[in-house]
Amino acid sequence: MTARERLKVLHVVHRLDLGGLERMVGAIVRLLDADRFESHVLTLSEFGRMSEGVDAYAELHRVASRRRWSMLWPAGLIRAMRAIDPHVVHTHSGVWYKASFAARQAGVPRLVHTDHGRHFPDRWKARLLDGVAARRTDVVVAVSEVLRRQMTETLIPRPRDIRVVVNGVDTERYRPRDANGALRAELGLEARAPVIGSIGRLDAIKAYDVMIEAFVTLRATWGEGPKPVLLLVGDGPEGARLAGLIERHGLRDAARLTGWRKDVDRLYAVFDLFTLSSWSEGTSLGLLEAMSSGVCPIVTAVGGSPAVLGERLRHRLVRPGDATALAAAWRVALSQPDKRKSDGVAARERVEQAFGLRTMVAQYERIYTGES
């Protein structure tokens, strides 16, 4: 690479949808120093709904490698990497084994991988394939300390070193806003009804079924005043099953599945609480966005979530899989509006101090160039 040549970085993802992983990739390519870096993104299926935002900052490529033997010899991916000729390939969860193999076959000089979250306990196949991929990778990154420990202890063979780069959030975009009456009306929310909200991929590991069970308990024991509403923003493989659960519990008008929305920064303003019921997390981008927006969080004590909340908000953690405890935590928070608001202020301060987006991007810039 000459002194005046930009470092070409190729991100490899399964697709560019609207999940936390994809939003993080979008943030990196948007904020990388354009005088020093040239960004490319390659997907292994269709581009996805987030590609419209990413294509303004990165050149997009697509390789549909779905044949069974592509894990043994990903010919199309190797050809694409040779044609792009990147200095760095940055793989992300879901494509590590195949993309790392292709990158080495294509002669890519530097390979970086970020793991955004794993099943707990790890599945045997993932432990083996990711352990092999780690041996091919120059820098392995986990998005939380808990995730780093899990990977170090479980991958086969065990990786020598895993770094931690926590996710960051744009605190200017995700900031406290006044509640918007028009937005509540658009969402079909009663003017005074408390709103418990969650934003993320509708996947089994997120345990939305536990969240719905907790919501049934909360509604059944609610006292005077408008009953709470549950707002679930996102889609994924669990969508149809969760819709069926909502219908069976008679919650059609009380629990809403909105699908993915691009205006999530506006939605946090209508939340009285942000919640996660996950069995496992890396560092949840939705949680960071909600806290940056000044929303009080109530989340399960898994993965990187306790570290995100910190000591001042530790009382807002609940055990995973305990619908009764989750409902009780919601009830306490909704019955104490002053304390809930002060915790929202503390949440904003926590993100500003420890989870700035530009700090995250600067760390990746140093990893790309080999400075760290």
Side-chain angles (χ1 to χ4, degrees), residues 158-171:
R158 294 188 178 186
R160 292 182 297 273
D161 179 51
I162 299 175
R163 306 184 196 182
V164 175
V165 178
V166 296
N167 289 344
V169 66
D170 185 342
T171 56

Side-chain angles (χ1 to χ4, degrees), residues 50 72 100 115 119 138 145-146 203 240 248 254 277 317 367:
M50 192 177 167
L72 300 175
S100 64
D115 201 298
H119 287 273
D138 296 297
E145 175 59 30
V146 171
D203 191 276
R248 285 198 295 276
S277 50
L317 294 168
I367 288 172

Side-chain angles (χ1 to χ4, degrees), residues 231-253:
L231 198 64
L232 304 181
V233 182
D235 64 15
E238 287 279 285
R241 188 173 80 88
L242 296 176
L245 280 176
I246 289 170
E247 189 71 24
R248 285 198 295 276
H249 285 297
L251 295 173
R252 182 187 299 178
D253 296 325

